[in-house]
Amino acid sequence: DQQVKQNSPSLSVQEGRISILNCDYTNSMFDYFLWYKKYPAEGPTFLISISSIKDKNEDGRFTVFLNKSAKHLSLHIVPSQPGDSAVYFCAASEGLQGAQKLVFGQGTRLTINP
Amino acid sequence: SQTIHQWPATLVQPVGSPLSLECTVEGTSNPNLYWYRQAAGRGLQLLFYSVGIGQISSEVPQNLSASRPQDRQFILSSKKLLLSDSGFYLCAWSRDRRIYEQYFGPGTRLTVT
């Protein structure tokens, strides 16, 4: 049962344009959402996050939008740069005993074309 | 600043052999520690987490085990590897249960032959 889904395995965007990566979730108990960026053979790097009580969080070129009624979040990157080419994972957090469990989507491979 | 280390970076092991992967965190104390696995073409799956020395919780029943012998050391083990244990293993840490962001190590690529 995939609680967090990224339905686009890949996305190709021209340099300078906006990249929009999408993520859907099914569990309404998730209370925090995160985006990670991953290069091959490396661990994921934390990018940006959003609490379930907000609908937008912005950090430089990166903005995350959350639509709770639709159980949907998206990551906007503008303008896109060649260094943004990587696999992007969205993750949702649910509480454990004394810790937080991150449930990850399958990832979307973003390619920025010059 | 905090740093997380994992070793080895790559490992090729035959079926039935034992496994020991190590993870250490520097620059923080009493972190929450996590082991994840990424199978080919899949997202990351949480295997184990630990909120303190000797405290291990398992998320997925499997052929693996974890231990936390010291505050900033987390070890993933197996007595006998299976082919299905192949994957990319990632260790992560977070400050405490109130902090959602987790920070990942560089990972270990395990191939079981």
Side-chain angles (χ1 to χ4, degrees):
Chain A
D1 177 29
Q2 195 79 23
Q3 295 188 75
V4 178
K5 292 183 181 179
Q6 294 175 256
N7 291 317
S8 298
S10 63
L11 176 67
S12 186
V13 174
Q14 197 162 3
E15 182 179 358
R17 300 286 193 123
I18 184 171
S19 296
I20 301 176
L21 298 110
N22 294 303
C23 180
D24 297 295
Y25 63 95
T26 58
N27 188 345
S28 57
M29 298 301 293
F30 289 142
D31 56 358
Y32 205 82
F33 302 90
L34 306 92
W35 283 94
Y36 284 83
K37 174 181 178 180
K38 186 180 181 302
Y39 293 116
E42 294 184 10
T45 302
F46 169 70
L47 264 181
I48 191 169
S49 59
I50 187 168
S51 165
S52 60
I53 63 173
K54 296 186 176 181
D55 55 19
K56 178 183 175 181
N57 187 28
E58 191 172 352
D59 183 2
R61 297 187 297 115
F62 302 92
T63 304
V64 56
F65 295 92
L66 176 62
N67 182 334
K68 282 189 68 176
S69 61
K71 293 190 175 69
H72 177 84
L73 66 153
S74 61
L75 174 68
H76 292 211
I77 306 173
V78 56
S80 300
Q81 299 174 354
D84 296 330
S85 295
V87 177
Y88 289 78
F89 290 96
C90 70
S93 179
E94 59 179 338
L96 296 167
Q97 288 283 350
Q100 296 289 340
K101 173 181 179 178
L102 293 185
V103 181
F104 284 83
Q106 309 96 305
T108 297
R109 181 176 302 278
L110 174 65
T111 302
I112 306 301
N113 302 308
Chain B
S1 64
Q2 298 80 23
T3 310
I4 180 168
H5 303 279
Q6 280 187 250
W7 63 91
T10 59
L11 193 58
V12 180
Q13 292 283 95
V15 168
S17 64
L19 172 74
S20 181
L21 302 181
E22 191 163 340
C23 169
T24 59
V25 181
E26 296 177 356
T28 188
S29 58
N30 197 30
N32 285 349
L33 297 172
Y34 307 83
W35 277 111
Y36 288 86
R37 177 171 59 201
Q38 183 185 16
R42 307 285 298 275
L44 283 71
Q45 182 184 36
L46 178 64
L47 302 175
F48 300 94
Y49 69 95
S50 172
V51 299
I53 296 174
Q55 300 179 63
I56 307 296
S57 297
S58 173
E59 280 292 291
V60 180
Q62 60 211 312
N63 185 43
L64 302 168
S65 62
S67 62
R68 185 170 176 175
Q70 300 180 41
D71 181 45
R72 289 170 286 176
Q73 184 185 29
F74 206 20
I75 297 172
L76 184 69
S77 304
S78 173
K79 291 182 179 177
K80 288 185 178 181
L81 283 169
L82 306 172
L83 284 174
S84 57
D85 292 324
S86 293
F88 192 50
Y89 288 82
L90 289 152
C91 182
W93 73 276
S94 66
R95 282 195 171 81
D96 57 44
R97 72 160 303 179
R98 297 164 297 175
I99 303 300
Y100 295 87
E101 289 81 2
Q102 294 178 18
Y103 300 93
F104 287 82
T108 295
R109 171 72 59 192
L110 172 66
T111 303
V112 182
T113 59

